[in-house]
Amino acid sequence: MTEVLNEKKSVAIHAANLVENGMIVGLGTGSTANYFIEELARKKREQGLKITTVASSVVSTIKAQKAGLELMAIEHVTNLDLYVDGADEVTPDLTLLKGRGFDLVKEKLLAKACQKMIVMVDQSKLVDRIGQNFPIPVEVMPFAWQLVQKSLQDVGGHGELRSNSSGDGLAITSHGSLVLDMTFDDQYDVANLNALLNAIPGVVEHGIFEQLASLVLIGSHDQVEQRWVKPDQ
Ligand code: 5RP
């Protein structure tokens, strides 16, 4: 566990070293993203790094505010230089699964808007296929959840609404949605599944990030491996 924490921190420090003066930088959400925020704040304090940040969640907003980073509201953003975030799964073609947290909507908006998305993971996040270790989170409009669940079941999906952490209610995302955690029979490749989820009415967002990552940084012991997306992808 300590090793994983150190890998998260070292990969976050590596990512922060790729940030340059004058950049607009999107801040992801999660424990690795928190290390990245802390390191950016340290660079600002100690090295005078001049950047503007855009947060992907309430949690990363608070973290960045407390750390003294300059924040811009997502409403004011039309493009950004970098978006730096963690992920739950990464496949060999750098497709991501995200959304163990509750902030898929802003995360995918920032991932789409940025010039370059940098993803920070440790080796435990590397998988052969999306859905290998985690269900696929599907954020749904609250009143649509049963209709969406039925649509997903009709195409071979299985899953239920996510519970809150104490198990006595439902998880609500920061966008005010419910989450269906879904598994799918193996007949789908990820591109088809991505397209299928994008097309279901009532789905607000889902956790497959296809063709959005530019660079994945993989922390392993005291080294960081870089995997760039191939030019033809
Ligand atoms: C939040 C996410 C996180 O980036 C993902 O869950 C990884 O988290 P951590 O860095 O804590 O392992 O997708 O929606």
Side-chain angles (χ1 to χ4, degrees):
M1 187 64 180
T2 313
E3 186 167 61
V4 171
L5 283 181
N6 289 341
E7 285 169 358
K8 288 184 175 193
K9 190 168 180 176
S10 64
V11 91
I13 290 170
H14 192 105
N17 286 336
L18 301 175
V19 175
E20 296 168 14
N21 270 325
M23 282 185 166
I24 301 178
V25 182
L27 306 174
T29 300
S31 55
T32 321
N34 281 344
Y35 284 124
F36 175 72
I37 293 170
E38 282 166 20
E39 180 61 8
L40 281 188
R42 190 194 66 75
K43 280 174 162 286
K44 182 187 171 196
R45 273 193 319 274
E46 296 178 11
Q47 299 167 10
L49 180 69
K50 289 188 175 52
I51 50 162
T52 303
T53 62
V54 187
S56 61
S57 64
V58 178
V59 171
S60 60
T61 301
I62 293 168
K63 179 91 186 158
Q65 264 175 342
K66 284 190 177 156
L69 291 174
E70 190 180 315
L71 277 158
M72 179 160 59
I74 197 166
E75 289 88 331
H76 302 159
V77 175
T78 50
N79 60 68
L80 56 161
D81 298 289
L82 289 183
Y83 174 51
V84 184
D85 201 350
D88 299 320
E89 294 182 347
V90 180
T91 63
D93 70 353
L94 307 193
T95 300
L96 315 174
L97 183 71
K98 290 185 51 57
R100 215 184 57 222
F102 299 88
D103 300 290
L104 279 173
V105 172
K106 283 188 182 169
E107 287 180 347
K108 206 175 271 187
L109 279 170
L110 294 180
K112 183 86 177 82
C114 66
Q115 300 290 318
K116 192 189 285 179
M117 179 181 184
I118 300 177
V119 182
M120 308 170 294
V121 291
D122 58 70
Q123 281 192 313
S124 70
K125 307 288 183 73
L126 302 180
V127 294
D128 295 326
R129 60 170 185 85
I130 289 297
Q132 189 170 309
N133 294 338
F134 291 100
I136 296 167
V138 181
E139 263 197 60
V140 293
M141 293 170 193
F143 58 81
W145 78 266
Q146 290 213 75
L147 288 171
V148 173
Q149 187 187 43
K150 173 78 172 56
S151 299
L152 294 170
Q153 284 166 347
D154 288 347
V155 293
H158 313 272
E160 299 296 335
L161 285 174
R162 188 185 291 184
S163 301
N164 64 10
S165 54
S166 48
D168 56 1
L170 296 174
I172 310 281
T173 72
S174 50
H175 193 66
S177 316
L178 300 175
V179 183
L180 286 164
D181 280 321
M182 301 298 301
T183 54
F184 289 87
D185 301 338
D186 282 348
Q187 76 263 33
Y188 292 108
D189 72 22
V190 77
N192 286 339
L193 193 53
N194 185 31
L196 193 148
L197 294 175
N198 286 341
I200 294 178
V203 170
V204 177
E205 196 45 272
H206 61 83
I208 298 174
F209 283 47
E210 201 208 359
Q211 296 188 350
L212 291 172
S214 319
L215 168 64
V216 176
L217 301 174
I218 304 155
S220 143
H221 307 293
D222 52 359
Q223 297 200 324
V224 175
E225 183 197 335
Q226 301 196 11
R227 283 193 199 164
W228 293 89
V229 75
K230 296 195 184 77
D232 56 343
Q233 279 178 4

